[in-house]
Amino acid sequence: MNYTLHQLQVFLKIVETKSITKAANELYLTQPAVSIQLKNFQDQFDIALTEVLGKQLYVTDFGKEIAGMAERIIQEVEAINYKTQTYKGILSGRLKLAIVSTGKYIMPYFLTGFIKHNPAVDLTMDVTNKAMVISSLENNEIDFALVSLLPDKLQVEQEILLENHLYLVGNKEEKFSSKPYKRSIFDSLPMIYREAGSGTRSVMENFLEKSKITVKKKMELTSNEAVKQAVIAGLGYSIMPLIGIHGELVNDSLQIIPVEGLPARSTWRLIWLKNKKLSPTAWAFLEYIRKNKIEILHDNFGWVEEFNKE
């Protein structure tokens, strides 16, 4: 057999995506190029790695076995590269993060300086819903997770990053007073919710329940961006994190409606499994955050505190 590392990488991506087209897109290759690599790899085995039924590609049991071994081979090759960099005095390795969708407004600012000073570090960051983030953490698939609410059943360590403030938000079609409204204002507002399980949804529902407020639920959407666009379009109102609507407040496409008891609060925090043995790369990142957090907050999130003083 004479398969190449590139063939292993292509095959793993096909197994992951279960599609030649999707694999080609993610690898920035043409579809014919991926098909050729798969054929060349398959030609070295007497047993089928994949099969196509209808228009769907399936990975055979044998193919799954080969994929598992291919993944271990690639990990060993990466380890060789990282070890070589380490002997040169260069921090290297893979930093794996999973963050909830609203966290995309925060996490890049804590990563930029670290990656810039450590270009040999490979970053993997999955931006997804809270359930998937917690699942990745529980299965020890990542180094750190970024969440606004701590998981109920996991023992974790944490590093506090930033306080999260949530306000009632609407578009600019209707004029509202700058004086805080009674909580009864919710009686007349159609509300847009995040999906069940999201941190934003939990904070919103906690505020409504504690305030004994019953609202008219207009719709439920699966991302902060979707909720934001729905509010801008005039489909309803929502309680949203300030961190995710700064641009829309500045360009005057959204407004905050002051209400007694708001903003609701939670805390953005970086968490990792208790007793987890962090890699040198993960430890270096954690130390970087601890050393530079105040400066990062001042340079990139000073507007949050200024806004909350208004």
Side-chain angles (χ1 to χ4, degrees):
M1 291 190 179
N2 194 29
Y3 44 77
T4 66
L5 187 61
H6 182 56
Q7 287 172 351
L8 295 178
Q9 292 168 330
V10 170
F11 179 61
L12 277 177
K13 185 58 67 174
I14 292 170
V15 171
E16 177 188 329
T17 61
K18 296 181 176 59
S19 166
I20 299 292
T21 302
K22 290 179 181 178
N25 289 338
E26 294 194 18
L27 293 168
Y28 301 100
L29 297 171
T30 65
Q31 186 173 334
V34 170
S35 296
I36 290 170
Q37 291 297 326
L38 177 60
K39 181 182 182 302
N40 290 341
F41 189 52
Q42 174 65 78
D43 285 347
Q44 300 179 73
F45 300 94
D46 296 328
I47 305 172
L49 299 168
T50 62
E51 57 185 357
V52 178
L53 300 176
K55 294 184 178 180
Q56 179 63 49
L57 183 145
Y58 295 89
V59 182
T60 65
D61 289 342
F62 177 68
K64 291 174 183 176
E65 292 281 348
I66 297 300
M69 289 185 281
E71 185 172 16
R72 291 193 290 273
I73 290 170
I74 290 174
Q75 287 173 348
E76 289 299 321
V77 171
E78 289 181 345
I80 291 171
N81 294 334
Y82 296 147
K83 185 65 69 175
T84 302
Q85 296 291 347
T86 300
Y87 269 80
K88 292 179 180 179
I90 301 171
L91 180 67
S92 63
R94 186 174 298 279
L95 180 64
K96 295 176 286 186
L97 306 175
I99 69 174
V100 294
S101 59
T102 311
K104 65 178 175 285
Y105 302 110
I106 298 169
M107 202 67 240
Y109 296 100
F110 287 90
L111 285 163
T112 300
F114 179 75
I115 297 299
K116 188 178 293 183
H117 287 96
N118 300 286
V121 170
D122 293 326
L123 172 65
T124 301
M125 185 168 72
D126 186 20
V127 183
T128 184
N129 59 49
K130 181 185 174 186
M132 293 299 294
V133 168
I134 299 305
S135 176
S136 296
L137 185 68
E138 186 174 16
N139 294 327
N140 199 27
E141 296 170 352
I142 56 174
D143 299 308
F144 301 106
L146 178 69
V147 296
S148 59
L149 295 174
L150 288 173
D152 295 327
K153 300 178 181 179
L154 286 182
Q155 290 189 319
V156 298
E157 305 283 356
Q158 63 174 312
E159 179 70 25
I160 302 297
L161 298 186
L162 180 68
E163 195 170 63
N164 189 27
H165 300 85
L166 296 91
Y167 291 85
L168 176 63
V169 178
N171 69 6
K172 298 304 292 281
E173 290 180 1
E174 186 175 348
K175 289 186 177 181
F176 289 89
S177 169
S178 59
K179 183 179 179 180
Y181 287 84
K182 299 288 185 183
R183 297 177 188 185
S184 58
I185 189 175
F186 286 98
D187 295 340
S188 60
L189 298 180
M191 296 296 294
I192 301 173
Y193 278 59
R194 280 289 304 274
E195 79 281 6
S198 82
T200 297
R201 167 82 169 254
S202 298
V203 175
M204 176 178 174
E205 289 185 328
N206 186 51
F207 165 73
L208 295 173
E209 289 170 9
K210 284 186 175 180
S211 303
K212 298 180 179 179
I213 297 170
T214 302
V215 302
K216 294 186 292 184
K217 185 177 175 182
K218 181 73 173 179
M219 65 180 68
E220 182 177 302
L221 300 172
T222 58
S223 73
N224 187 73
E225 283 299 317
V227 172
K228 184 162 57 177
Q229 294 305 317
V231 173
I232 291 172
L235 291 174
Y237 300 80
S238 192
I239 294 176
M240 301 189 70
L242 177 64
I243 201 77
I245 58 173
H246 184 220
E248 288 72 23
L249 293 174
V250 170
N251 67 27
D252 224 27
S253 56
L254 286 178
Q255 64 175 318
I256 287 176
I257 304 163
V259 178
E260 292 179 354
L262 290 178
R265 289 177 170 84
S266 61
T267 304
W268 288 109
R269 59 194 88 209
L270 198 68
I271 63 173
W272 60 99
L273 289 176
K274 192 170 185 178
N275 299 321
K276 177 179 174 62
K277 186 177 180 181
L278 294 175
S279 69
T281 301
W283 263 120
F285 178 59
L286 185 58
E287 289 301 310
Y288 169 82
I289 286 182
R290 288 171 172 169
K291 181 179 179 181
N292 296 280
K293 179 169 60 176
I294 293 176
E295 182 179 353
I296 293 169
L297 292 175
H298 177 269
D299 290 348
N300 300 286
F301 301 103
W303 65 269
V304 173
E305 291 305 320
E306 291 301 317
F307 185 94
N308 289 323
K309 291 176 184 178
E310 293 180 2

